[in-house]
Amino acid sequence: MGIISGEDGNRYSFSLEDIQNLGSKDENALVNCEVDFQIEDSNAKAIFITKSSFSMNSITESFAKDDLNSIKIKAYIYVVLTLVGFAPIGFIFLIFAIMSISKASGVALLKNLIWSLVCYVLGAITLSTFVLSGFGMGALTGSAEAGFSVGLGSITTGFILLIAGLAFNYLFFKGLTQATNENFFFYVFICRIIGICTLWVAGLGVILIFIGQILELIAWVKFKEIKKAEDFS
C-alpha cells in the first residue's frame, strides 16, 4: 500500500495493482511521480502515471539493475561515448551491460570480450614495437640477419595474437547474438572485421568501422529479450 497526494490536498491510499502503466517500476521509482486517478471510498483507483520522476536516486537504482531497460541504458551510453571519441570510458558501460546479460543468460560473454581486447592490444604492440626493435638490433649489431630474425619472430607473434583476438571476438559476438536473439550484433562483427582488413584502402576501412558502430546502435535498439544458454546450446 502507498499514499497519493491529490490536488485537493487530501491523501489517498493505493495498491500497486491499481496502477495501469506501472511497467517495470517498483514502489521506490514512484516517488514524486505525477499521476491521474479516480477516487473510490478514499482510495485511489485506475491510476495512470503521467510524469515519471527523474531524480538522481531513481536513475542510480535503475542503472544498478539487471533488467532489460537498465541494460539498454548502459549500452546506449557506451555507443554514444564511443561515437563522440570517449571509447575507453564508454567501454566501461559496455562491460556493465555485458555483465548483466551474462548474468541473465548464463553465457560467458565477458571472458571472451576481455580476452579479445587483450590479444588485439598485445598483437598491435608486438607488431609496432618489436618489429622496430628488430631493425634497431640489426643496426646495433651490424647484422642484418639478426635484425631480420627478431623482426620476423615479432611479426609472427603479433599475427598469432591478432588471430587469437579475432577468434575470441567471434565467440563474443556469437554468444551475444544468441543471448539477445538479435542478428544485428553479428553484422557488427562482420562489418568491423572487413573494415579492419581494408584499412589500407583509402577511407574504406574507416567508413566500414563507422557503419559497424551505427549497426551496433541499431542492434541495441532492436534488442528485446534475453535467452537462457540452455535454450540455444
Side-chain angles (χ1 to χ4, degrees):
M1 295 288 291
I3 299 295
I4 291 177
S5 297
E7 292 182 349
D8 57 3
N10 295 321
R11 295 157 67 87
Y12 302 95
S13 298
F14 75 94
S15 298
L16 291 180
E17 293 77 13
D18 293 317
I19 303 177
Q20 308 300 307
N21 59 340
L22 181 63
S24 61
K25 299 183 180 68
D26 57 23
E27 60 270 20
N28 294 322
L30 297 176
V31 177
N32 296 325
C33 287
E34 294 183 8
V35 296
D36 182 49
F37 60 92
Q38 298 176 2
I39 302 173
E40 294 182 12
D41 299 326
S42 298
N43 294 320
K45 300 290 184 179
I47 305 168
F48 284 89
I49 300 173
T50 57
K51 185 177 180 181
S52 298
S53 170
F54 291 97
S55 66
M56 184 57 66
N57 183 55
S58 64
I59 293 174
T60 303
E61 289 180 354
S62 175
F63 186 82
K65 294 179 180 178
D66 292 321
D67 59 30
L68 196 66
N69 288 334
S70 178
I71 293 171
K72 289 170 79 76
I73 290 173
K74 298 167 193 172
Y76 292 154
I77 295 174
Y78 149 69
V79 173
V80 171
L81 288 175
T82 302
L83 286 173
V84 299
F86 294 94
I89 300 175
F91 188 74
I92 296 174
F93 288 91
L94 175 63
I95 288 178
F96 285 132
I98 295 304
M99 288 175 63
S100 297
I101 295 175
S102 295
K103 181 178 178 181
S105 66
V107 182
L109 297 172
L110 188 60
K111 177 186 69 175
N112 290 325
L113 175 62
I114 297 300
W115 274 114
S116 67
L117 180 65
V118 169
C119 289
Y120 281 145
V121 171
L122 290 179
I125 292 175
T126 301
L127 287 174
S128 61
T129 304
F130 290 97
V131 170
L132 295 176
S133 297
F135 289 116
M137 179 175 289
L140 288 173
T141 61
S143 172
E145 183 177 347
F148 177 77
S149 297
V150 174
L152 181 60
S154 300
I155 291 174
T156 303
T157 303
F159 273 111
I160 290 174
L161 286 169
L162 291 179
I163 292 172
L166 175 62
F168 281 115
N169 205 225
Y170 166 79
L171 292 174
F172 165 71
F173 275 104
K174 179 183 178 182
L176 183 60
T177 299
Q178 292 175 324
T180 60
N181 197 29
E182 180 49 64
N183 290 327
F184 263 83
F185 283 114
F186 202 73
Y187 302 156
V188 174
F189 169 75
I190 295 173
C191 195
R192 284 180 178 171
I193 293 305
I194 297 175
I196 291 172
C197 293
T198 56
L199 279 174
W200 59 275
V201 180
L204 179 59
V206 175
I207 292 174
L208 287 172
I209 292 174
F210 179 77
I211 292 174
Q213 286 298 115
I214 301 301
L215 291 176
E216 186 171 19
L217 177 58
I218 294 173
W220 286 115
V221 171
K222 288 171 59 63
F223 161 48
K224 302 296 183 185
E225 63 174 322
I226 299 177
K227 298 180 66 176
K228 295 290 186 180
E230 55 267 23
D231 294 335
F232 53 81
S233 59

